[in-house]
Amino acid sequence: MKLLLDFLPILLFFGTFKYTGAHPDQAAAFATEHFGFLVLGGSVGPQEAPVLLATVVVILATLAQVAWTVARGRKVDLMLWVSLALVVVLGGATIWFHSETFIKWKPSVLYWVMGMSLWLSQLLFRKNLLRLLLGEQLQLPDAVWQRLNGAWVGFFGVMGLLNLWVAYSFSTDAWVNFKLFGGIGLMLLFTLAQGLYLSRYLPEESPAPKDKARPGA
């Protein structure tokens, strides 16, 4: 359920953009009628409507994600608060200024915030956040925790740059495709690679003791 909630805003953004992109005139009329008061000039064109409506949906989905977590009495992760702040600020700027540039920066900023959090916690406070989160489930040497932390810092840095390269080098439609399939796909592949790397350091399970035969059996 948590995994679904984490990916739900991205899925809704993708679905809304694709659907409205196939019906740009109707999307523009709908956006102007219902969200014109949020837009500079009060009018939304067919070229702007898909990304604008998708941005509205992702803001509402992220707000719902936080509300659902709070309603269940669970603590909202810091990164979810950061994601909410970014999507409201940058998404709001995209809606108001009719510019998709702002929302395209959101993934990169979020990646870099996560990478900087891991790096600065280790550098300034000598705390490995990954170890704090996973230390109860994984028993690893100190050097491995350091390498794991550094690998994720590098991954988030590269992902932020890659997002901007796609955003500025290709169409918005291609960027939306990358945001869903490329971003999530690369994250899963990197996580799998980390799992394979860590497997060599995990203790092997000892074989279950065999029952001794009873005398006279």
Side-chain angles (χ1 to χ4, degrees):
M1 180 61 72
K2 185 180 186 302
L3 187 64
L4 176 62
L5 287 176
D6 289 341
F7 289 151
L8 185 59
I10 298 176
L11 292 171
L12 290 176
F13 184 93
F14 178 85
T16 303
F17 180 85
K18 291 297 184 179
Y19 179 80
T20 54
H23 308 85
D25 293 330
Q26 295 92 323
F30 179 87
T32 299
E33 179 180 357
H34 296 281
F35 302 106
F37 65 97
L38 297 175
V39 179
L40 185 65
S43 178
V44 180
Q47 297 296 323
E48 308 159 352
V51 72
L52 185 147
L53 289 174
T55 301
V56 171
V57 168
V58 80
I59 291 174
L60 295 177
T62 308
L63 286 169
Q65 191 177 6
V66 172
W68 172 256
T69 303
V70 172
R72 298 184 68 193
R74 297 188 176 182
K75 182 181 178 181
V76 179
D77 294 337
L78 176 60
M79 284 301 106
L80 181 53
W81 284 120
V82 173
S83 181
L84 176 63
L86 289 175
V87 79
V88 169
V89 173
L90 297 178
T94 284
I95 295 169
W96 177 253
F97 291 109
H98 304 245
S99 175
E100 60 199 26
T101 300
F102 298 99
I103 198 63
K104 286 182 175 181
W105 271 83
K106 186 261 181 183
S108 292
V109 176
L110 184 59
Y111 284 133
W112 291 336
V113 167
M114 291 190 290
M116 290 292 289
S117 298
L118 295 175
W119 180 55
L120 291 178
S121 295
Q122 183 69 52
L123 180 67
L124 300 179
F125 306 107
R126 303 300 177 187
K127 290 185 178 181
N128 189 309
L129 292 184
L130 291 177
R131 189 170 193 168
L132 292 176
L133 292 172
L134 304 174
E136 294 183 0
Q137 291 79 30
L138 293 174
Q139 300 299 321
L140 301 171
D142 291 342
V144 175
W145 281 116
Q146 295 285 353
R147 288 195 289 269
L148 189 65
N149 192 72
W152 278 102
V153 170
F155 175 76
F156 286 135
V158 170
M159 285 298 294
L161 294 173
L162 184 58
N163 173 74
L164 290 183
W165 177 71
V166 174
Y168 283 100
S169 301
F170 301 93
S171 66
T172 300
D173 188 70
W175 173 78
V176 171
N177 291 334
F178 171 78
K179 180 178 169 65
L180 178 62
F181 301 108
I184 294 178
L186 290 173
M187 180 75 72
L188 293 176
L189 287 174
F190 185 74
T191 303
L192 178 61
Q194 290 286 301
L196 293 175
Y197 170 73
L198 294 178
S199 63
R200 71 182 72 176
Y201 298 101
L202 299 179
E204 296 183 0
E205 295 184 1
S206 56
K210 297 181 179 179
D211 293 336
K212 294 182 178 181
R214 295 181 181 178

